[in-house]
Amino acid sequence: DEKERFDPTQFQDCIIQGLTETGTDLEAVAKFLDASGAKLDYRRYAETLFDILVAGGMLAPGGTLADDMTRTDVCVFAAQEDLETMQAFAQVFNKLIRRYKYLEKGFEDEVKKLLLFLKGFSESERNKLAMLTGILLANGTLNASILNSLYNENLVKEGVSAAFAVKLFKSWINEKDINAVAVSLRKVNMDNRLMELFPANKQSVEHFSKYFTEAGLKELSEYVRNQQTIGARKELQKELQEQMSRGDPFKDIILYVKEEMKKNNISEQTVIAIIWSSVMSTVEWNKKEELVAEQAIKHLKQYSPLLAAFTTQGQSELTLLLKIQEYCYDNIHFMKAFQKIVVLFYKAEVLSEEPILKWYKDAHLAKGKSVFLEQMKKFVEWLKNAEEESESEAEEGD
């Protein structure tokens, strides 16, 4: 009852013989592989099977084919280097793994191994593997966690990882789009790691952007730039809240925020939204509607110099108005406080009449619209009258 000795050579011979007989007709290849699974031990020899389908024979450590082995030209590495051919090969892998579900894990391990062997392959072989991997990532046969192998220090240092990533992402985005790619990357926490495809001294948004834009992957460059900005925004909000809870002087907070805006290219509109939510999150609000308005006015009066520093543009004022509207709608106790907050900010020169009138006329949100417009009616009328009076005074002065 001696345990069967692990001997992939016999298995390899059977597969290679079958592939040689089918020739390059990939439909026939898929059928042959389907039928062979019933006779051959795919579970045991998964690595050998995938080595043959990709490289034409069993791979030695480092990615070279053993000289004395029989090999086949019916494989990814011997195929034409174009997207159509790789799409046809992807179908072969899809069908095989759908038919023999247990091969899923083995195939993932195989691809991770192949990525670590990249330096052992020719440039053309790497390109084909990259295209194939991108297609298999797009159709869900592979999980994006396999990309971890590309962060291997030697591959990164020699520029192999970045060059491979270009071909891979091109075929992935070609099959799907950047949003689908982003979702897959986020699921495995890879969305913030793409810069690691470059050595430490080149891990900047500028370098990444230039490299991938020149390679024709502008959407990937923009995606990474956005990821960086999102990270910077989160960091800014966290630091802001800490500064507020410590009671740092406003001039220090303003200086810090302005530096961050410049450094991370964050717009004033984005910043005013961050400041508003930070200011509102530093307080434990009263649960009674009649008391919360009073509490809010007192609190916001104190912070109005900080808010005023970042409403230097009409668009920022409008952003703030929309944020106030959203907040008052989402926090039911604030429903009646909306007008009081806007008037306070008008008096404190955080908001000016033009954005308020624009908000009232057509720029408001649908959330609680009728309630808030009703609250603002008298104040808006007063603003319009004040504006008309100042215009007629100006005319008389002329």
Side-chain angles (χ1 to χ4, degrees):
D1 224 21
E2 197 182 323
K3 199 172 183 336
E4 186 193 347
R5 196 161 58 85
F6 180 73
D7 182 17
T9 45
Q10 199 181 344
F11 175 86
Q12 175 177 257
D13 292 344
C14 293
I15 295 289
I16 286 179
Q17 189 187 338
L19 290 174
T20 308
E21 284 165 15
T22 60
T24 51
D25 175 4
L26 294 182
E27 283 287 325
V29 169
K31 280 177 187 160
F32 158 71
L33 291 169
D34 192 316
S36 299
K39 297 173 283 197
L40 298 171
D41 194 349
Y42 279 180
R43 197 184 290 273
R44 198 161 191 229
Y45 297 114
E47 187 180 1
T48 308
L49 173 65
F50 292 128
D51 272 2
I52 297 165
L53 292 175
V54 172
M58 274 196 283
L59 289 168
T64 52
L65 281 170
D67 291 334
D68 54 343
M69 290 285 183
T70 45
R71 62 181 70 185
T72 175
D73 282 338
V74 186
C75 65
V76 173
F77 282 178
Q80 268 182 279
E81 190 187 319
D82 61 63
L83 208 51
E84 215 174 310
T85 309
M86 290 307 114
Q87 282 165 336
F89 261 102
Q91 280 307 311
V92 172
F93 288 103
N94 282 341
K95 286 175 185 168
L96 178 62
I97 288 161
R98 267 208 306 271
R99 175 77 173 84
Y100 300 102
K101 201 83 177 107
Y102 58 79
L103 284 174
E104 219 169 54
K105 175 82 175 77
F107 185 53
E108 214 157 275
D109 292 342
E110 172 73 13
V111 175
K112 286 178 188 169
K113 179 191 83 174
L114 290 170
L115 297 188
L116 290 173
F117 285 176
L118 285 178
K119 277 165 66 183
F121 307 142
S122 70
E123 191 183 341
S124 174
E125 288 168 348
R126 289 203 285 257
N127 290 345
K128 291 171 208 171
L129 182 60
M131 283 190 261
L132 176 74
T133 308
I135 296 161
L136 294 168
L137 282 162
N139 62 33
T141 305
L142 284 173
N143 182 293
S145 60
I146 55 117
L147 298 176
N148 265 314
S149 294
L150 289 179
Y151 299 133
N152 172 279
E153 200 182 335
N154 292 324
L155 296 175
V156 168
K157 200 164 68 181
E158 295 188 28
V160 175
S161 295
F164 186 85
V166 165
K167 293 280 182 190
L168 181 147
F169 279 109
K170 268 190 180 167
S171 69
W172 192 353
I173 293 167
N174 178 62
E175 295 289 309
K176 289 279 192 186
D177 60 30
I178 190 66
N179 297 325
V181 171
V183 169
S184 299
L185 292 171
R186 206 163 32 244
K187 275 184 187 161
V188 293
N189 296 323
M190 287 271 181
D191 47 336
N192 289 315
R193 291 194 60 197
L194 292 178
M195 281 205 277
E196 291 172 42
L197 291 164
F198 296 103
N201 62 341
K202 290 181 179 171
Q203 282 177 22
S204 70
V205 179
E206 276 57 47
H207 181 77
F208 186 98
S209 196
K210 188 173 184 291
Y211 185 91
F212 280 94
T213 302
E214 282 172 2
L217 279 165
K218 194 167 189 291
E219 55 265 74
L220 190 71
S221 303
E222 282 168 4
Y223 167 70
V224 166
R225 201 175 274 283
N226 283 341
Q227 286 302 106
Q228 283 298 108
T229 310
I230 290 164
R233 277 185 233 158
K234 283 181 181 164
E235 205 48 52
L236 173 62
Q237 181 143 14
K238 195 171 146 229
E239 180 57 33
L240 248 180
Q241 284 168 343
E242 282 175 17
Q243 289 177 345
M244 286 177 190
S245 60
R246 286 199 304 264
D248 290 7
F250 286 158
K251 63 174 191 349
D252 295 351
I253 298 179
I254 291 166
L255 194 67
Y256 162 74
V257 174
K258 285 188 171 169
E259 279 171 5
E260 288 299 301
M261 281 170 76
K262 200 173 168 187
K263 191 168 83 182
N264 295 299
N265 201 17
I266 305 174
S267 70
E268 190 179 80
Q269 287 84 49
T270 303
V271 164
I272 196 67
I274 292 172
I275 292 174
W276 166 259
S277 63
S278 300
V279 166
M280 295 310 274
S281 66
T282 56
V283 179
E284 191 66 52
W285 295 108
N286 203 305
K287 292 285 182 280
K288 289 185 177 158
E289 195 170 14
E290 61 276 15
L291 297 173
V292 84
E294 203 181 310
Q295 187 190 6
I297 295 304
K298 199 174 164 189
H299 177 66
L300 291 170
K301 197 172 186 176
Q302 185 194 337
Y303 278 97
S304 52
L306 179 60
L307 289 149
F310 298 97
T311 50
T312 64
Q313 303 161 10
Q315 199 52 49
S316 312
E317 292 183 48
L318 201 51
T319 301
L320 178 59
L321 272 163
L322 295 173
K323 284 288 164 195
I324 301 166
Q325 181 185 350
E326 204 169 21
Y327 190 90
C328 291
Y329 178 80
D330 292 343
N331 299 276
I332 195 84
H333 305 308
F334 277 83
M335 282 298 273
K336 289 182 181 168
F338 179 75
Q339 186 260 4
K340 291 187 173 98
I341 295 171
V342 176
V343 172
L344 165 77
F345 283 164
Y346 174 74
K347 286 178 180 168
E349 294 183 356
V350 175
L351 297 171
S352 50
E353 55 260 32
E354 208 178 306
I356 296 173
L357 294 173
K358 183 168 173 48
W359 171 88
Y360 187 81
K361 188 180 169 209
D362 56 18
H364 47 258
L365 301 168
K367 291 177 167 184
K369 167 179 142 181
S370 54
V371 177
F372 298 134
L373 290 179
E374 184 55 42
Q375 274 184 40
M376 290 293 290
K377 200 173 172 184
K378 282 184 180 166
F379 182 60
V380 165
E381 277 168 16
W382 178 83
L383 276 181
K384 282 179 179 169
N385 292 335
E387 204 173 21
E388 280 163 19
E389 275 171 31
S390 63
E391 274 172 18
S392 60
E393 276 170 23
E395 278 166 21
E396 279 167 28
D398 289 347

